[in-house]
Amino acid sequence: MKTRYTYVQRTICTLLLFTLIAAVTLGGGTAAEAASLNQSTVYYESDGVLYKVSADGSNTTEVLIDFQGVDLLAAGSYLYYTQTASSTTLLRVPNDGSSDAAETFAADVLSYYTDNGFIYYLDATGTIYRANGNSDVSSVTKIADKADTDFPFLLVTKGRAYYNALVNGNTWIVSKTSNGAGAVQRIAAGAVEGRYFTNQAKNELQLMVNTDPYEDFYSTNAVVMYKVKYNTGKATAVNPKAKLDVNAVYSGGWGNNLYVYNKGIVLDSNKDYNYAKGKAFALTTSAKTLQLHNKSVREVSALGTDKVVLIDADKKAYAKTVSGNKVTKSANLNLNNVTYVANQLTNGTSTAAYISGNNGLYSVNTALKVTKLTGDEWDAFHIRDDVAGLFYINAKDQYRLYHVQTGGTGKKVMSDVFLDNILLVTPY
């Protein structure tokens, strides 16, 4: 799993996709079951106006006329966001169009997250707060302090908040109950440097921890995988005596209970990853290492319960079936010049992977059937777990919003106006 939801613009280069993914993985709270399209909602921006529309194309509403914002999240009946990617002022607005201006909810915010109707945020003092999404600003309560503001990571899932903390002056990844009760539970010395390095598996949270996070010049062997039980918060190190190279890890990504890394990868003269170097290996949660592909991979995503879909150095797509800690099947998906892959969960299982390239958008089901969803007219797309299909901007139809089912059927126009951005899809 790469993100809880994914928004990708066609014009963004592969290197910047990592930054985008790390930024947009903000909200949690998986739906208990898949939502129908008429229950789901899409939020988008057009010429400075924030709109919402039911995912079946009905009930278009102007939410806010004078809107400027990024990283939009929903909690309760409010939407939370910042004006720009560098802004630290957390704003909110009712999602029904009843207000003509946003209000300031918090200042000096370094990271924020939503889960099960609550908004959580970490501020510049290293304090973490939470509030019911519908509550007044004054109802915010402190749940933790001493967070490491040099590595402002925040994730909330299944009743616990995970963050980087300062312990005796050193950086540790820790957790605490999401309501602030009880003691801080230490996981590991080091930092989780973004939500990209977390995987919310069925029974445990999987983390890639950089044990030497302040080293940013040399690529050292410093990354350890940890498994954290949701119900207890207890952590287990997978590879404590065989730490992975930082560049190898940071150029890879999660599969099904494994992390794919590019062994031997180097940086080019522009300090970008040179994918022509190295080969893709995987570290499993059972501490086994296997070679996944004979070249480095640019992108990787889980599919089904035992498959990994990848984009390799040559921008070609493959699927690997992994069983018994080895690759048991390799399939060429016969897609060239593609640059990105992300999966979509339905009731907690990865039921589809979406692949993008300049020539089109494609879906791959668990039987590895590839379907072309649209051609080079796509300009941006957005997917959300438990909301069927894919939403995209059609550049050849006045940049209007479209929806298409995973199997390529039911293509539908969903807006009368052009879109600047698809900001958020919610399963309610």
Side-chain angles (χ1 to χ4, degrees):
M1 180 174 61
K2 181 154 294 187
T3 60
R4 305 306 293 270
Y5 59 94
T6 299
Y7 169 63
V8 174
Q9 288 181 300
R10 184 179 170 195
T11 53
I12 294 178
C13 70
T14 302
L15 177 65
L16 292 182
L17 284 174
F18 169 80
T19 304
L20 173 69
I21 294 162
V24 303
T25 317
L26 297 168
T30 304
E33 59 183 22
S36 64
L37 287 178
N38 62 2
Q39 294 174 315
S40 307
T41 305
V42 183
Y43 295 88
Y44 61 90
E45 179 187 0
S46 174
D47 199 22
V49 179
L50 175 62
Y51 290 90
K52 73 173 183 179
V53 61
S54 294
D56 63 359
S58 63
N59 301 317
T60 299
T61 302
E62 288 185 354
V63 176
L64 187 62
I65 294 177
D66 186 15
F67 173 80
Q68 179 186 358
V70 297
D71 297 339
L72 191 72
L73 292 180
S77 58
Y78 280 82
L79 300 171
Y80 291 80
Y81 64 97
T82 57
Q83 279 197 330
T84 66
S86 61
S87 173
T88 59
T89 301
L90 183 61
L91 305 172
R92 76 170 184 176
V93 64
N95 66 12
D96 61 0
S98 59
S99 178
D100 58 3
E103 66 173 331
T104 296
F105 189 76
D108 297 324
V109 173
L110 303 181
S111 182
Y112 60 101
Y113 198 83
T114 61
D115 181 70
N116 291 326
F118 286 87
I119 175 74
Y120 299 79
Y121 64 90
L122 186 163
D123 72 9
T125 70
T127 306
I128 299 174
Y129 298 90
R130 88 160 185 170
N132 184 292
N134 291 329
S135 297
D136 187 78
V137 173
S138 62
S139 70
V140 169
T141 60
K142 183 175 79 171
I143 66 166
D145 57 14
K146 298 181 180 178
D148 189 342
T149 57
D150 286 345
F151 304 99
F153 165 79
L154 177 62
L155 172 73
V156 184
T157 183
K158 299 188 184 300
R160 297 194 73 84
Y162 297 84
Y163 59 100
N164 296 316
L166 288 173
V167 178
N168 298 322
N170 298 312
T171 304
W172 280 69
I173 176 69
V174 304
S175 74
K176 195 177 185 184
T177 57
S178 59
N179 64 6
V184 172
Q185 185 141 356
R186 299 180 190 180
I187 296 172
V192 175
E193 297 191 79
R195 298 187 191 105
Y196 183 88
F197 303 110
T198 70
N199 186 44
Q200 296 181 44
K202 183 177 181 180
N203 298 314
E204 64 188 21
L205 179 66
Q206 298 159 3
L207 308 171
M208 300 302 285
V209 179
N210 187 345
T211 62
D212 190 15
Y214 282 99
E215 173 55 67
D216 58 8
F217 187 80
Y218 297 103
S219 187
T220 57
N221 294 331
V223 180
V224 178
M225 180 191 289
Y226 280 81
K227 302 183 294 184
V228 186
K229 292 294 185 182
Y230 290 127
N231 57 347
T232 66
K234 295 295 180 66
T236 302
V238 173
N239 60 315
K241 296 182 179 180
K243 297 175 183 177
L244 300 179
D245 175 83
V246 174
N247 278 340
V249 170
Y250 284 18
S251 62
W254 290 101
N256 269 307
N257 292 314
L258 54 81
Y259 195 93
V260 180
Y261 61 97
N262 291 315
K263 187 175 182 180
I265 199 168
V266 297
L267 302 181
D268 62 21
S269 59
N270 295 319
K271 305 301 181 182
D272 298 334
Y273 291 125
N274 180 1
Y275 290 98
K277 303 289 185 179
K279 297 179 180 179
F281 283 73
L283 173 66
T284 73
T285 54
S286 56
K288 302 296 183 181
T289 299
L290 58 108
Q291 184 173 335
L292 192 71
H293 194 60
N294 61 0
K295 297 183 179 182
S296 286
V297 299
R298 299 171 179 270
E299 295 287 336
V300 59
S301 188
L303 179 61
T305 59
D306 60 352
K307 297 179 180 65
V308 177
V309 177
L310 60 89
I311 310 298
D312 75 359
D314 298 329
K315 300 183 180 180
K316 295 182 179 180
Y318 295 85
K320 308 284 182 173
T321 302
V322 179
S323 179
N325 295 311
K326 63 181 180 180
V327 176
T328 58
K329 184 179 179 181
S330 181
N332 187 340
L333 299 180
N334 296 312
L335 295 176
N336 300 314
N337 197 29
V338 289
T339 55
Y340 182 73
V341 60
N343 65 2
Q344 186 174 56
L345 305 186
T346 304
N347 298 327
T349 299
S350 176
T351 52
Y354 294 93
I355 296 174
S356 67
N358 284 341
N359 296 325
L361 297 175
Y362 308 85
S363 66
V364 185
N365 66 16
T366 54
L368 302 185
K369 179 183 177 181
V370 178
T371 302
K372 188 171 186 177
L373 302 178
T374 186
D376 63 1
E377 66 267 24
W378 80 276
D379 180 70
F381 78 86
H382 199 125
I383 58 175
R384 175 71 188 239
D385 292 343
D386 294 304
V387 179
L390 174 146
F391 302 89
Y392 70 97
I393 298 173
N394 190 334
K396 292 188 177 179
D397 186 13
Q398 302 178 63
Y399 289 84
R400 295 198 290 175
L401 178 65
Y402 274 62
H403 176 263
V404 61
Q405 294 286 357
T406 303
T409 62
K411 188 174 292 187
K412 185 174 183 178
V413 184
M414 296 184 57
S415 74
D416 293 326
V417 298
F418 72 90
L419 268 67
D420 292 311
N421 289 296
I422 307 171
L423 297 172
L424 177 66
V425 178
T426 67
Y428 50 84

